[in-house]
């Protein structure tokens, strides 16, 4: 989903999958952001296996005049893609789009609030006899 404002954009970045149902929670995050912040451009992008790819989004947004882009990786763990491939990709994209300010944030799974929330959800799912 993309909202119309030619200045600031948020990209919810995920790995990607050939299974279209896999995308539903990723797109739900972007939809909530777009609903709460209609003054931002908001969309999903994927590293592989589905579209749009990150370079495609940046190319479109560059043409639309977006100047600041905040990239939020929805990865629970920081594997090779996140530690090595993604920073190299962002560096190359900064060279390709020098007029855009690209900010790569830490993976969502490294946020202590998220890990605590996931633990709370698991705890809540346990019946009293299991707790």
């Amino acid at each position: 989903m993309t909202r119309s404002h030619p200045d600031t954009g948020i990209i919810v970045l995920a790995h990607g999958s050939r299974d279209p149902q896999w995308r539903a929670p990723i797109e739900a995050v972007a939809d909530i952001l777009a609903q709460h912040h209609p003054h931002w451009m908001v969309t999903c992008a994927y590293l592989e296996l589905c579209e749009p790819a990150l370079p495609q989004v940046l190319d479109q947004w560059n043409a639309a005049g977006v100047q600041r882009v905040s990239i939020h990786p929805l990865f629970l763990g920081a594997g090779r893609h996140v530690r090595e491939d993604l920073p190299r990709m962002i560096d190359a994209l900064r060279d390709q789009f020098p007029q855009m300010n690209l900010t790569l944030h830490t993976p969502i799974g490294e946020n202590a609030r998220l890990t605590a929330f996931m633990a709370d959800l698991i705890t809540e799912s346990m019946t009293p006899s299991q707790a």
Side-chain angles (χ1 to χ4, degrees):
M1 171 182 284
T2 302
R3 298 288 177 171
S4 59
H5 189 278
D7 180 49
T8 301
I10 292 181
I11 296 174
V12 178
L13 181 68
H15 184 271
S17 171
R18 289 182 184 90
D19 182 347
Q21 292 181 355
W22 174 90
R23 297 169 62 146
I26 308 303
E27 292 172 354
V29 171
D31 288 344
I32 292 168
L33 284 167
Q35 289 170 13
H36 287 97
H37 304 283
H39 52 285
W40 295 334
M41 301 277 279
V42 178
T43 196
C44 297
Y46 304 95
L47 290 180
E48 58 188 25
L49 305 174
C50 57
E51 293 186 355
L54 184 56
Q56 288 175 295
V57 172
L58 293 177
D59 191 46
Q60 292 168 358
W61 283 7
N62 181 54
V66 175
Q67 299 169 1
R68 296 179 303 157
V69 179
S70 186
I71 303 164
H72 296 268
L74 260 60
F75 289 80
L76 290 180
R80 184 181 52 83
H81 275 318
V82 173
R83 285 190 327 270
E84 298 172 15
D85 300 340
L86 188 54
R88 277 195 298 267
M89 177 188 288
I90 297 300
D91 286 343
L93 290 167
R94 284 184 179 123
D95 291 342
Q96 185 177 349
F97 301 102
Q99 63 282 14
M100 298 176 89
N101 179 0
L102 305 180
T103 302
L104 177 62
H105 294 269
T106 57
I108 195 97
E110 293 184 7
N111 185 309
R113 289 174 38 212
L114 179 65
T115 52
F117 179 68
M118 289 188 297
D120 287 345
L121 288 175
I122 292 168
T123 300
E124 290 171 9
S125 74
M126 301 300 288
T127 61
S129 65
Q130 294 172 317

